[in-house]
Amino acid sequence: MPLIDTPVRLGIQLQPQHAAYPAFRDAVLRLEEMGVDILFNWDHFFPLSGDPDGMHFESWTMLAAWAEQTERVEFGALVNCNSYRNADLQADMARTIDHISAKGGTGRFIFGTGAGWFERDYQEYGYEFGTPGSRLRDLERGLERIERRWEKLNPQPTRRIPVMIGGKGEQKTLRLVARHADIWHSFVGPDELPHKLSVIQKWADVEERPADGLIISNELKDRDEDFADALYSAGVRLYTLGFQGPDWDYALIERWLRWRDRKNDA
């Protein structure tokens, strides 16, 4: 625990704000050609930085377009908000996007999800904000429904859709990671990761679900290669990087791709 005998992968989070959609289409094409492993967006309705009323696009419809546009990369939201859509509907949407992306083979969709936190989304779109505890309880129930629905759908997903859960709370979130996740995403530093992983292992023992296949994911924004090396030593194998347009800094992506390749060639 965790899974370390696996290649380092680089996931780029295209922040769906402050750019017209053709810019995203072009960026997706270029990033796939450059060799990134995963493309992410996020699930919000308004920008998280810059002009709060600036241009912004919805997550799932964008992901369906990526499913059709791309050929190789995996993709998903970092992360979906469980509050915004009925859980069974989320399962059906994920299954449909999985099939769109398969193109005669195996789908490439990653189901990244979380409890939600951005209060403006809730207020302006008419969702009950609740409390952190109530949103986590809703996520717990939602994940159970989603997994049951995947078993009932016709056709079923082309593969067991990987589940990514973000967060670090030890009593609730990490138990959900142990119960459901294939990927755990956080911003936890290398010094804190061993403790968090021990908590996940504790919950995995309680849940009677092996944790030795869990992939650990972490963020690279504003971090250097020494920090990334320390994360690697702590078990991180999926690295994400927030990427904002319309003035995309592709040189930054090339730098991290070279670092990824050095790790994988070592």
Side-chain angles (χ1 to χ4, degrees), residues 91-181:
D92 205 339
M93 294 165 68
R95 180 280 310 261
T96 300
I97 292 176
D98 166 75
H99 276 265
I100 294 170
S101 69
K103 301 182 180 179
T106 301
R108 295 173 283 119
F109 182 72
I110 295 173
F111 182 66
T113 194
W117 61 271
F118 191 40
E119 189 171 2
R120 185 185 180 189
D121 285 348
Y122 287 80
Q123 290 177 340
E124 295 217 24
Y125 277 64
Y127 299 109
E128 181 180 351
F129 189 53
T131 66
S134 69
R135 295 194 298 276
L136 278 167
R137 287 191 294 273
D138 289 343
L139 176 62
E140 179 179 8
R141 291 190 289 265
L143 283 164
E144 292 169 355
R145 288 173 58 188
I146 287 163
E147 291 179 347
R148 289 197 300 268
R149 181 58 57 185
W150 279 337
E151 293 295 323
K152 298 176 182 179
L153 289 169
N154 182 15
Q156 290 186 353
T158 66
R159 64 172 179 170
R160 185 186 183 280
I161 296 176
V163 173
M164 168 189 271
I165 296 176
K168 65 175 185 176
E170 296 184 7
Q171 297 306 309
K172 295 181 180 179
T173 301
L174 295 188
R175 184 166 190 174
L176 292 178
V177 169
R179 185 184 302 167
H180 298 283

Side-chain angles (χ1 to χ4, degrees), residues 208-224:
E208 298 182 341
R209 179 176 183 248
D212 56 357
L214 185 68
I215 292 174
I216 310 304
S217 171
N218 210 295
E219 171 65 24
L220 288 174
K221 186 179 179 182
D222 299 327
R223 293 172 169 177
D224 59 20

Side-chain angles (χ1 to χ4, degrees), residues 219-235:
E219 171 65 24
L220 288 174
K221 186 179 179 182
D222 299 327
R223 293 172 169 177
D224 59 20
E225 293 184 6
D226 288 341
F227 195 91
D229 287 340
L231 288 173
Y232 180 88
S233 297

